[in-house]
Structures are given as structure tokens and as C-alpha cells.
Amino acid sequence: MKININADLGESIGDAIVGNDAAMLDIVSSANLACGFHGGDPVVMQDTVAAAKTRGVSIGAHPGYDDKEGFGRRPMTLTTPELTALMWYQMGALAAVSHASGHPMTHVKPHGALNNQACADRDMADVLTRAIADYDRDLILLAPAQSHLWQAGRDKGLPVAAEIFADRAYLPDGQLMPRGQSGAVIHDPTDAAAHVERMVDAGGIVAADGTVLPCDIQSICVHGDGATGVETAAAIRALFTSGGHDIVTLAELIG
């Protein structure tokens, strides 16, 4: 089968380095780039786009809350106009850099708490997907499988790719286990690969308690800011390539 591997990258700010983007870009097929709010800055964005272009890795906007101190992982409450502007501003920033660099932006994936809240709240999911559709309805929405965000994107007529997380544990309702809970983050690359293999074999999300939620699995996410992110991404890629599967960009997968 065809499968996409994505990572959240471009999250460094100046000399404050987050993750190992160069190594990750040699492994993944799509990159979600921070747009300056939870992480990233204009130069980091420009350099990451250029590096992704050299490697043939597709790029997408990774908009989050304006929350560098909390890395965009603290829930916030914003009005509909504020959420819309938040999305447009950040998508526009990456679109400008990608256009000038000759490497088009092909997808959008909300970051952190913004993503988690939209996955659990259909009204918020509608706001974010409407903002994407009004900006460019040809952009692929990369959204957690079976979430409100995934369904809202489909209902808006957006091209949608369903993702699962290699390095995060799930609750029985399909939501990510909160990071503060023991076992929520899977640090060991072997364990993460086994977690993905269980879900692919089961044909859906497998929660920490063994609950299986059937769903499409089109993309696997590995967090680029984790200490073992590169090793985990390599283990996931090896899992699929050893099985004869094709690792493709989101545009190749959805198009």
C-alpha cells in the first residue's frame, strides 16, 4: 500500500534548536512547518522549506496558538474571528515563503492544543476547516483519524488525509491520552513501531486499554521535537519499506 510519514518540523527559534530537522527530512515524506506562533521564525521557515525541497519532502502549514512559552500545547479560548485570523495569518506566512522558494505548500495540520481541541469539539473543527476552505480549498487537511476535525474537513469538501500517531497513546474514545498521564508519550522507537504495526494490523486506532476503533490509516505522525524522534521515524519507515509498501507525499497519496 501507499503510506505517508509526517513530522512536525521548523520549530526552532534562532539559536534555540528544537529537534534534528535535517535528519528527519531524510526519513519522512511530508513536513508540517511551524509558522512563527508556537515555534519557528522567518529564517528557520525559509531554511526548512529549502531543505524539504532538496529532499522532495512535501510541506504544509502547522498553525498553532501564539504560545511560545507553552509550545502551543496549552488550551485557549478564542472567538471565531480570532481563530480564523490565526489560521489565515500562519498559512499565509508559509505560503509566501514556499511560493518564493518554488516549493508549493500542499497541506495544513493544526498544532498542539489547537489541534486537540478541534478534534474533540465539532464547532471548533468547523471554524478551522472553514478557514482552510476559504483560504484554499485545494489544500489537504492532515487530521487525526475519526476526529471531529477529520469529519469536518470531509463535510467541507476538503481533501483529507487521516493520520495516526506513532509516539502517542490513545484513550478509548480515540482522543490522544493527555501528555501529563503516565504512558501518554511513547519514547522507545521499537515500542512506537510496534504500536503502529498493531494499529495497521487491526485496521484502526488501538487505545491503551486495547479498544479498537476502525478507521482509515493514511499517514503516520512522528513528533520532531522528541529526543528519539529521528530513531522513531526511521523505525516506522523500516516497518513499511520492509513490507514492500511505498512511502509517498500527501499529494501523491491523496491526488
Side-chain angles (χ1 to χ4, degrees), residues 6-254:
N6 77 84
D8 307 334
L9 303 177
E11 294 173 319
S12 300
I13 301 175
D15 293 333
I17 304 301
V18 176
N20 186 341
D21 287 2
M24 289 293 280
L25 286 168
D26 285 333
I27 301 168
V28 302
S29 48
S30 294
N32 321 304
L33 305 190
C35 302
F37 275 27
H38 76 277
D41 65 34
V43 174
V44 168
M45 185 184 292
Q46 181 177 312
D47 291 345
T48 310
V49 169
K53 179 181 179 181
T54 298
R55 293 164 173 82
V57 174
S58 67
I59 58 170
H62 196 38
Y65 286 128
D66 191 2
D67 176 32
K68 292 181 176 65
E69 294 81 5
F71 202 62
R73 288 175 175 158
R74 297 183 293 191
M76 295 185 177
T77 300
L78 301 181
T79 66
T80 293
E82 287 171 333
L83 285 170
T84 301
L86 182 90
M87 293 291 289
W88 287 351
Y89 187 95
Q90 293 179 79
M91 288 188 291
L94 181 61
V97 174
S98 67
H99 175 74
S101 302
H103 192 44
M105 179 175 84
T106 60
H107 73 274
V108 180
K109 174 186 171 179
H111 165 80
L114 181 67
N115 192 57
N116 293 341
Q117 287 175 272
C119 285
D121 183 334
R122 177 58 195 250
D123 289 340
M124 186 171 174
D126 282 333
V127 174
L128 298 194
T129 53
R130 188 178 304 113
I132 295 169
D134 288 346
Y135 180 82
D136 182 351
R137 62 174 47 257
D138 290 330
L139 288 173
I140 299 165
L141 170 64
L142 181 57
Q146 297 299 95
S147 65
H148 281 303
L149 184 61
W150 173 84
Q151 188 60 56
R154 288 167 59 90
D155 291 345
K156 296 289 188 307
L158 293 170
V160 181
E163 74 170 345
I164 60 171
F165 292 83
D167 48 15
R168 294 295 308 277
Y170 286 90
L171 298 172
D173 64 357
Q175 299 296 316
L176 293 178
M177 184 180 291
R179 284 178 174 267
Q181 292 187 21
S182 176
V185 180
I186 303 170
H187 299 286
D188 185 272
T190 302
D191 292 344
H195 180 49
V196 169
E197 188 170 26
R198 277 194 299 274
M199 290 190 280
V200 171
D201 289 346
I205 293 168
V206 179
D209 69 351
T211 299
V212 177
L213 301 171
C215 65
D216 291 334
I217 297 174
Q218 296 169 297
S219 184
I220 314 296
C221 176
V222 178
H223 287 91
D225 63 299
T228 57
V230 172
E231 293 80 4
T232 296
I236 301 304
R237 187 178 183 94
L239 172 69
F240 287 105
T241 55
S242 65
H245 306 300
D246 295 327
I247 311 297
V248 299
T249 67
L250 283 170
E252 292 168 331
L253 182 73
I254 300 301

